[in-house]
Amino acid sequence: MSGISANYYDGQSSKRHAVSIQLDANGMLSIHGDSLSACYPLDEITMAYRIGKRVRMIKLSDGASLEAETTPELDAILDQTKQHKHQGLVHRLESKLKYIVMALLLTIAFAFGFLTWGVPALAKSVAFSLPVETQDYLGEGTMEVFDEYFMQPSKLDKTRQAAIEKRFQALISGLDERDRYELLFRDSEKMGANAFALPSGSIVLTDQFIALAENEKEIDSVLAHEIGHVHFRHSLRGAIQSSSAAVLIALMTGDVASMSSFAATLPTLLVNMNYSRQFETEADNYAKQLMKEKGIEFYHFARILTRLTASHDVADDDDSLNFLSSHPSTKERIKSFQ
Amino acid sequence: MEEENSDTRELSIEFTGSGSEYFGIWIVNILLTILTLGIYTAWAKVRTRKYFYNNTRMDGAIFDYHASPIAILKGWAIVVGVLIVQQVLSSINILYGLGLLLAIMAFIPWAMVRSRVFNLLNTSYRNVRFYFEREYKELYTIFLIAPLPIIVGYGLFFYVAISAESAEVTPDTGIMALAGVFILAGFVLLPYYLHRFYSFIITRSSFGRTPFENCSSAGAFYSIYLKAFGLGLLVGVAMMVVMGVSAGLADVADGVISVIMGVLAFVIYLIGIYYVIYFIEATKLNEIWGKTSIDGNRFISKLEPWGLMWVMLSNTVLIVITLGIYIPWAHVRMTRYRLNHLLIEVTGDMDNYIAKGHKEMGALGAELGDAMDFEISL
């Protein structure tokens, strides 16, 4: 007798019966052991899961069960039951190398796609639906921290400030009414020549930046770029994107470890740098549009950017580091404005 | 039932799963879950459990998991529905959202019990199902009373501090001391309630009709937490010493040595803190399992803090380096380590456990417990 050896449990007690099973000539599953002998029609096999390669657990309609090592003969018998056959598909996906590799690549593609397009799209819709008060609140909070630690009141004389403010008003006249802009002057040795925009619509210029500019049109060109950041709500979107990417990556990689926040930092950093590069490009394109409208030549931005880069001694035009650089290669940006 | 064989033997629990085999199941689960917008989670959960249970082997027999994906899917759908309602309510008025959240929290002990019943009822060994008594009172008692002194203490503290602040007077030291006593008492009582919790979880569980018994004591829990507290102090002292030496050296030696000392202090801190965490985990589980028995057959748990810590931390590092690809191997390693350190001392054979009839039940509690990460695992 060439039966498949298995353990039989009747479901009433934990008693084990060593049995031998086979498919008999009438298509019945026959079970033989020292103390029992039984026959089941195949449709009385109610559950036969197919997971992994070691064992098969077979449930019978009367509550009894069989445990057997997996053999091709056994799978051939079980394949005649509906459930086992249906699961064959998932089981094949789970156990054949080519499907596993395909599943892995598809999953990576989905994760990549979600991080590249899904998260920014979500952040965009959230940023544009947040009430004005929230944006003001976030902007004021950031400004307080900056004023406390990095910046002092501007030492620029009032007439110069008023002149720049006037040009700023001219720049924003005719722009989308829903966007609000505000120009602020600060002195900061620590930040050096710098210009940045906050969620509240505040654009900050440092005295060091004004000193670096050789003419008013250079200042205008940088203001145009910052107006672009405000218009697209970049700082808010950046904050939302980096936190949601961190949550997503922590969910994906951190479910075993208690150090999930640590586990998520490295990939999050890489993803965020990629996001901020996209924002710079977007703001640059906005600036070009605005400069064209207001009759400011592009080369002004190229010149001030060259000097800004030099003043910060940033050597980021090395293409091999391009992915890690938080701005698009400055060389590329300067070239696009010439 | 007469015992044919009265030899006592130690049965080990063997885990036969492999990381590479589980990887296939894991990645297909993730992909199908994405493609079905989450609906496949129910099947994914059953297949994962089934894989781990079917690879857990004791005395030539294997464990099995029987939950129906449809039951889990229904529970999942209800939980997702409640979460959506919660989000919508929050966006209308944050207070509505908070109110619903509080109402959900009131269900946590209920969900823990339901989750335990669902999971044990769907677990079998030698075709005999496990079982958990549906008793909710004890968990509600523990969850309501245990945090009470701490909440009262902190409430009192902040109330007095804030009202003194606004009246610009110094806070009443008597009341502040009372708040301190409440908080301290709350923390001192925690090991007692923790023991009560574990004891409840084990003694309401049964294999067929045979209940698990547990004779662990609250005293042992106090001893574990006292030792952990002592270890924590030791780590603090060691750090202080290193930092003190480094400060002393700063005058005579160059900066490099004090940097090295700084790094050393940080390493001591990191290793020390993790050691304390895994010391608590290992000794607590050893105490609970070591005092658990069924039908006179005693469990033996031999977890070691260093071993547990090594598996856990190396898993974390490998998961980070591989950007998550290592997760299946990490699961398998952890499961194997834990199961290999659990033994059962059996007298005679294990043929005489009688099954108890069971009704299928819904998975709502189990899903709620899962969604809020409250599933009890030992």
Side-chain angles (χ1 to χ4, degrees), chain B residues 203-340:
Chain B
T203 55
R204 297 303 185 282
S205 307
S206 56
F207 175 50
R209 289 165 191 246
T210 320
F212 285 89
E213 282 156 47
N214 188 280
C215 60
S216 66
S217 70
F221 270 61
Y222 275 98
S223 141
I224 289 167
Y225 279 94
L226 267 178
K227 278 181 197 153
F229 186 69
L231 279 171
L233 282 183
L234 221 62
V235 173
V237 169
M239 247 179 80
M240 290 296 184
V241 169
V242 172
M243 281 161 76
V245 169
S246 124
L249 280 176
D251 299 331
V252 288
D254 54 26
V256 180
I257 294 183
S258 65
V259 168
I260 291 174
M261 295 301 258
V263 171
L264 186 64
F266 183 67
V267 169
I268 290 176
Y269 165 77
L270 218 58
I271 294 181
I273 290 304
Y274 279 107
Y275 182 77
V276 172
I277 291 173
Y278 293 113
F279 169 82
I280 293 176
E281 167 107 356
T283 48
K284 201 170 65 186
L285 288 177
N286 286 349
E287 164 69 17
I288 301 158
W289 278 113
K291 299 285 170 61
T292 299
S293 61
I294 181 162
D295 196 24
N297 301 319
R298 205 164 61 86
F299 284 90
I300 301 163
S301 175
K302 294 179 170 170
L303 291 172
E304 285 150 9
W306 284 117
L308 206 55
M309 179 173 160
W310 164 245
V311 175
M312 203 67 177
L313 295 189
S314 56
N315 270 351
T316 306
V317 169
L318 286 166
I319 287 171
V320 174
I321 293 175
T322 60
L323 299 177
I325 299 296
Y326 188 72
I327 289 174
W329 282 270
H331 270 299
V332 165
R333 256 184 90 198
M334 197 70 228
T335 307
R336 173 165 295 132
Y337 179 83
R338 283 175 184 274
L339 290 178
N340 282 352

Side-chain angles (χ1 to χ4, degrees), chain A residues 54-69:
Chain A
R54 264 189 91 91
V55 288
R56 293 288 174 260
M57 306 292 274
I58 304 150
K59 274 201 215 177
L60 301 167
S61 58
D62 60 0
S65 78
L66 291 162
E67 280 176 32
E69 300 286 324

Side-chain angles (χ1 to χ4, degrees), chain A residues 30 37 42 44 49 85-86 115 133 157 165 212 232 250 325:
Chain A
S30 76
S37 187
L42 277 180
E44 286 195 18
Y49 260 84
K85 200 159 187 187
H86 286 166
L115 285 172
E133 296 79 31
D157 69 64
E165 173 73 33
L212 193 72
F232 293 116
S325 137

Side-chain angles (χ1 to χ4, degrees), chain A residues 12 14 16 50 53 63 94, chain B residues 21 47 127 350 353 355:
Chain A
Q12 306 299 312
S14 58
R16 172 177 17 215
R50 230 183 141 148
K53 54 179 179 282
E94 289 170 348
Chain B
E21 194 180 25
R47 290 190 78 80
N127 202 11
M350 297 186 73
Y353 292 95

Side-chain angles (χ1 to χ4, degrees), chain B residues 20-317:
Chain B
S20 51
E21 194 180 25
Y22 175 46
F23 182 83
I25 297 169
W26 178 77
I27 196 75
V28 169
N29 277 346
I30 292 180
L31 182 65
L32 292 180
T33 299
I34 295 172
L35 291 178
T36 59
L37 301 174
I39 290 168
Y40 192 74
T41 44
W43 281 265
K45 189 184 268 176
V46 170
R47 290 190 78 80
T48 304
R49 284 258 163 92
K50 194 115 180 151
Y51 179 76
F52 277 87
Y53 284 35
N54 282 181
N55 278 295
T56 304
R57 181 178 282 257
M58 189 173 84
D59 196 26
I62 58 184
F63 287 79
D64 202 7
Y65 186 67
H66 306 270
S68 121
I70 298 293
I72 291 181
L73 187 65
K74 283 180 191 158
W76 182 85
I78 294 172
V79 169
V80 169
V82 169
L83 287 180
I84 290 173
V85 170
Q86 205 269 335
Q87 283 299 313
V88 171
L89 281 183
S90 299
S91 66
I92 296 169
N93 184 335
I94 195 88
L95 285 178
Y96 295 158
L98 282 177
L100 187 63
L101 204 64
L102 271 176
I104 294 174
M105 276 171 71
F107 279 101
I108 289 173
W110 175 84
M112 285 174 106
V113 170
R114 299 287 289 194
S115 155
R116 182 97 180 140
V117 175
F118 181 81
N119 285 321
L120 285 195
L121 209 54
N122 283 306
T123 302
S124 74
Y125 175 70
R126 292 169 166 244
N127 202 11
V128 171
R129 303 276 183 120
F130 288 80
Y131 192 75
F132 190 75
E133 251 174 72
R134 281 170 219 207
E135 193 196 307
Y136 304 100
K137 211 182 107 206
E138 173 74 359
L139 270 197
Y140 272 99
T141 312
I142 292 172
F143 276 73
L144 284 177
I145 296 179
L148 207 58
I150 298 174
I151 294 171
V152 168
Y154 276 112
L156 207 60
F157 175 82
F158 283 115
Y159 177 73
V160 173
I162 290 167
S163 51
E165 177 88 14
S166 57
E168 291 180 9
V169 293
T170 48
D172 187 326
T173 43
I175 300 179
M176 287 308 242
L178 186 67
V181 168
F182 267 110
I183 295 169
L184 193 66
F187 280 108
V188 166
L189 281 173
L190 280 185
Y192 163 77
Y193 285 109
L194 201 62
H195 169 257
R196 215 168 125 173
F197 173 77
Y198 280 118
S199 173
F200 167 76
I201 294 302
I202 296 214
T203 55
R204 297 303 185 282
S205 307
S206 56
F207 175 50
R209 289 165 191 246
T210 320
F212 285 89
E213 282 156 47
N214 188 280
C215 60
S216 66
S217 70
F221 270 61
Y222 275 98
S223 141
I224 289 167
Y225 279 94
L226 267 178
K227 278 181 197 153
F229 186 69
L231 279 171
L233 282 183
L234 221 62
V235 173
V237 169
M239 247 179 80
M240 290 296 184
V241 169
V242 172
M243 281 161 76
V245 169
S246 124
L249 280 176
D251 299 331
V252 288
D254 54 26
V256 180
I257 294 183
S258 65
V259 168
I260 291 174
M261 295 301 258
V263 171
L264 186 64
F266 183 67
V267 169
I268 290 176
Y269 165 77
L270 218 58
I271 294 181
I273 290 304
Y274 279 107
Y275 182 77
V276 172
I277 291 173
Y278 293 113
F279 169 82
I280 293 176
E281 167 107 356
T283 48
K284 201 170 65 186
L285 288 177
N286 286 349
E287 164 69 17
I288 301 158
W289 278 113
K291 299 285 170 61
T292 299
S293 61
I294 181 162
D295 196 24
N297 301 319
R298 205 164 61 86
F299 284 90
I300 301 163
S301 175
K302 294 179 170 170
L303 291 172
E304 285 150 9
W306 284 117
L308 206 55
M309 179 173 160
W310 164 245
V311 175
M312 203 67 177
L313 295 189
S314 56
N315 270 351
T316 306
V317 169

Side-chain angles (χ1 to χ4, degrees), chain A residues 29 37 64 91 123 176 185 188 203 219-220 265 286 321 327 337:
Chain A
L29 187 72
S37 187
H91 180 68
D176 194 335
F185 297 94
S188 177
I203 294 170
I219 299 178
D220 289 348
T265 34
Y286 183 90
L321 281 172
H327 281 205
F337 275 92

